[in-house]
Amino acid sequence: MSTGNMNLTLKVWRQKNSKDQGRLVDYKVSDISPDMSFLEMFDVLNEQLISKGEEPIVFDHDCREGICGMCSMFINGRPHGPKQGITTCQLHMRSFKDGDTIVVEPWRAQAFPVIKDLSVDRSSFDRIIAAGGFISVNTGSAQDANNIPIPKQDADAAFEAAACIGCGACVATCKNASAMLFVSAKISQLAHLPQGQPERYRRVQSMVAQMDAEGFGNCTNTGACEAECPKGISLENIALMNRDYYSAKFLKEEEIH
Amino acid sequence: MSNSGKAFSSSIGKKLVMGITGLFLILYLIIHCFLNSLIFVNDGGLTFNEGAHFMATNWLIRAMEVVLFLGFIVHIVQSARLTIENRAARPVKYAYNDGNANSKWYSRSMGLLGTILLIFLIVHLSNFWVVSRFTGIPTTDANGHDDLYAVMKLTFQNVWIVILYVLAMVSLAYHLLHGFPSAFQTMGWNHKKYTPIIKKVGFWYSIIIPLIFALMPIAVYAGLI
């Protein structure tokens, strides 16, 4: 951990468009405050590039407070960098040392094509949600307390699954580029609540089918996704998705789908 | 039941096939390990040959042998298929990927460990299975049974065979360390109370079974048997 300002070498992935081959380019940044976030350091670098007349580095970001799921940098071999339970925007330069070399790459997956530089197209996630990650009827405004009794454990499990921000770190770190942690969180948040029951078994089948169609890999239970998830989504969700999928395919009558 | 044909070609279905065949092979290893441990009975292999004779002549065991081969073939072919798909899911590799930061090396190396085991399996089958089923065991023991014990003792005089077997058992240990708990997760059995038990049982299973197997060639080569 550093306290004084630091000088760093960055190796950043530059890629003109989805067709371009892309390559790592070296950049030097100096006098970086340890209190800067990683994205603020990139802002400084981009200012430098603009003043030199070079094209700035494209990277995704929005809320910069760890809840939107937009930022997506693969930093020194890990999604969202070296710390656990945070997104790239919450990563601060005090996590690095003066003189460090930092490699920054985009998420890499067949289903996440690079748009430009560090920005990837994650609309495959949107298509998976559109395939069934919703409740079809209007559930109305918030119910009166205890109007629909829900056991606390179920409410907690649903809330924990709902913490998923869809950033794609699970896919990025998975050796198979599998999206199962994301998909299982989106299934689980509804499977634990009464409003999610009517479409529960239709949902798991259509979302898994869409996930497969998007070209994500298959889960091999290495657990890397759970370890790197900024929101701590648990592998228990994948087990629940598997159970629901088997129930749907092997136990339910055809009419239910 | 609906669309269950398609179920096995989905990502979750393919995992299920790996899990079921894996658990089946795990069960088989217990039987195999128990029977082979009979070589440690100090009677010049009579008990071991008795066991081998039973396995070779019992119709139920012979029927299960076919299922066992199917289990191996499906497990191997499916894993090859999954590996190809999973590689295709990331066509451009990372320049730098710190895998050790978030997962165990053996969890990420199941394909490599499995390939070592496949090579071992081919050598192992040609050492014993082919001999006892096809080319014939030359001698018989005092009870008149085929002397598989003598074949084993002769095989393990070759130091390279011993090294291959021990190496394969180290690979098996790591393959099981991941595979045992992973199979339960794939079946959807992730439970606050039972998963820690599964992990503990899986850990000791993965150490003990390969260790007993590895001691067999070592003991023979060292002249202890």
Side-chain angles (χ1 to χ4, degrees):
Chain A
M1 195 188 273
S2 249
T3 44
N5 286 4
M6 43 193 154
N7 301 321
L8 302 161
T9 306
L10 299 170
K11 288 179 178 293
V12 183
W13 187 259
R14 300 303 309 259
Q15 184 172 337
K16 281 193 176 64
N17 51 50
S18 58
K19 303 276 181 291
D20 183 26
Q21 253 210 314
R23 66 196 198 287
L24 283 172
V25 178
D26 287 15
Y27 296 101
K28 300 264 184 210
V29 283
S30 50
D31 205 28
I32 295 295
S33 159
D35 299 326
M36 274 183 192
S37 80
F38 201 81
L39 296 185
E40 283 166 339
M41 185 268 292
F42 258 77
D43 293 337
V44 170
L45 172 59
N46 271 346
E47 289 295 332
Q48 278 178 28
L49 293 177
I50 291 164
S51 65
K52 277 195 283 185
E54 290 179 34
E55 196 159 351
I57 300 159
V58 172
F59 62 92
D60 278 326
H61 62 104
D62 192 5
C63 75
R64 296 208 179 194
E65 56 185 7
I67 54 168
C68 76
M70 200 61 199
C71 54
S72 54
M73 290 185 185
F74 204 78
I75 302 161
N76 278 348
R78 297 179 67 184
H80 299 305
K83 296 272 166 162
Q84 289 206 311
I86 55 167
T87 54
T88 300
C89 61
Q90 295 168 298
L91 176 68
H92 286 81
M93 296 316 295
R94 53 180 170 268
S95 301
F96 299 91
K97 290 194 304 287
D98 185 31
D100 273 359
T101 299
I102 307 170
V103 183
V104 187
E105 297 176 76
W107 286 175
R108 295 199 188 281
Q110 171 72 29
F112 286 167
V114 173
I115 298 169
K116 187 171 182 167
D117 296 336
L118 300 172
S119 173
V120 298
D121 179 358
R122 284 168 283 185
S123 54
S124 47
F125 270 13
D126 299 339
R127 288 189 291 273
I128 294 172
I129 296 290
F134 50 81
I135 291 165
S136 295
V137 295
N138 192 346
T139 56
S141 55
Q143 304 278 333
D144 283 344
N146 298 327
N147 214 9
I148 305 172
I150 300 170
K152 183 174 186 307
Q153 299 93 310
D154 288 349
D156 286 350
F159 280 132
E160 278 164 25
C164 169
I165 51 177
C167 65
C170 45
V171 174
T173 197
C174 176
K175 73 182 264 284
N176 311 317
S178 166
M180 287 213 182
L181 194 69
F182 165 78
V183 177
S184 70
K186 298 303 174 194
I187 285 168
S188 184
Q189 65 182 5
L190 298 174
H192 279 108
L193 296 176
Q195 294 90 337
Q197 298 312 310
E199 293 164 296
R200 181 171 181 173
Y201 297 100
R202 181 185 303 178
R203 176 181 305 117
V204 67
Q205 293 183 88
S206 43
M207 288 181 80
V208 168
Q210 188 62 38
M211 168 178 77
D212 293 351
E214 295 291 346
F216 290 103
N218 307 284
C219 174
T220 53
N221 301 325
T222 69
C225 53
E226 182 186 50
E228 295 291 7
C229 175
K231 298 299 163 187
I233 302 297
S234 160
L235 288 181
E236 283 174 36
N237 294 302
I238 298 184
L240 177 136
M241 172 176 70
N242 293 351
R243 285 199 299 276
D244 277 10
Y245 189 79
Y246 304 143
S247 301
K249 289 293 187 194
F250 302 129
L251 302 175
K252 302 293 177 194
E253 296 296 336
E254 188 120 31
E255 289 82 67
I256 205 155
H257 313 295
Chain B
M1 201 157 173
S2 73
N3 299 327
S4 30
K6 271 187 204 157
F8 289 108
S9 59
S10 72
S11 53
I12 295 181
K14 280 180 273 191
K15 278 159 47 104
L16 180 65
V17 171
M18 288 304 287
I20 290 174
T21 50
L23 282 177
F24 171 66
L25 296 174
I26 282 171
L27 282 175
Y28 159 72
L29 278 184
I30 298 175
I31 300 164
H32 189 21
C33 189
F34 167 74
L35 275 164
N36 283 29
S37 302
L38 296 177
I39 65 162
F40 294 117
V41 177
N42 196 13
D43 62 356
L46 287 179
T47 317
F48 173 70
N49 285 342
E50 181 82 43
H53 177 73
F54 169 78
M55 296 302 276
T57 49
N58 185 289
W59 67 269
L60 187 67
I61 301 290
R62 296 309 301 271
M64 278 308 287
E65 191 176 41
V66 178
V67 182
L68 178 64
F69 266 88
L70 277 175
F72 269 111
I73 290 166
V74 171
H75 194 75
I76 292 162
V77 171
Q78 186 82 323
S79 70
R81 209 173 132 200
L82 284 167
T83 305
I84 292 167
E85 280 183 20
N86 291 344
R87 293 225 170 132
R90 177 165 296 134
V92 182
K93 307 287 168 218
Y94 287 107
Y96 176 54
N97 191 354
D98 187 5
N100 287 324
N102 50 43
S103 54
K104 297 271 187 278
W105 72 267
Y106 52 82
S107 291
R108 300 192 308 273
S109 311
M110 291 297 275
L112 174 70
L113 295 167
T115 307
I116 296 173
L117 289 172
L118 178 60
I119 293 166
F120 161 77
L121 191 64
I122 293 165
V123 174
H124 181 54
L125 284 176
S126 66
N127 283 346
F128 297 108
W129 185 74
V130 171
V131 173
S132 59
R133 288 283 180 281
F134 300 106
T135 52
I137 293 168
T139 54
T140 50
D141 65 9
N143 293 336
H145 295 317
D146 284 347
D147 201 352
L148 187 62
Y149 184 76
V151 174
M152 179 207 60
K153 280 188 78 162
L154 189 68
T155 306
F156 291 150
Q157 299 308 317
N158 183 338
V159 69
W160 294 111
I161 295 281
V162 175
I163 290 170
L164 174 69
Y165 272 56
V166 172
L167 231 153
M169 287 310 105
V170 174
S171 306
L172 178 64
Y174 281 112
H175 200 74
L176 288 169
L177 272 177
H178 175 79
F180 192 106
S182 177
F184 286 90
Q185 164 76 9
T186 296
M187 313 282 272
W189 204 5
N190 188 324
H191 191 280
K192 289 218 166 25
K193 192 158 88 189
Y194 300 119
T195 299
I197 300 171
I198 290 167
K199 284 190 173 161
K200 204 166 271 179
V201 171
F203 176 80
W204 287 111
Y205 177 94
S206 311
I207 303 292
I208 291 169
I209 298 276
L211 183 67
I212 294 173
F213 274 128
L215 284 176
M216 294 170 192
I218 291 173
V220 171
Y221 189 74
L224 300 171
I225 290 178

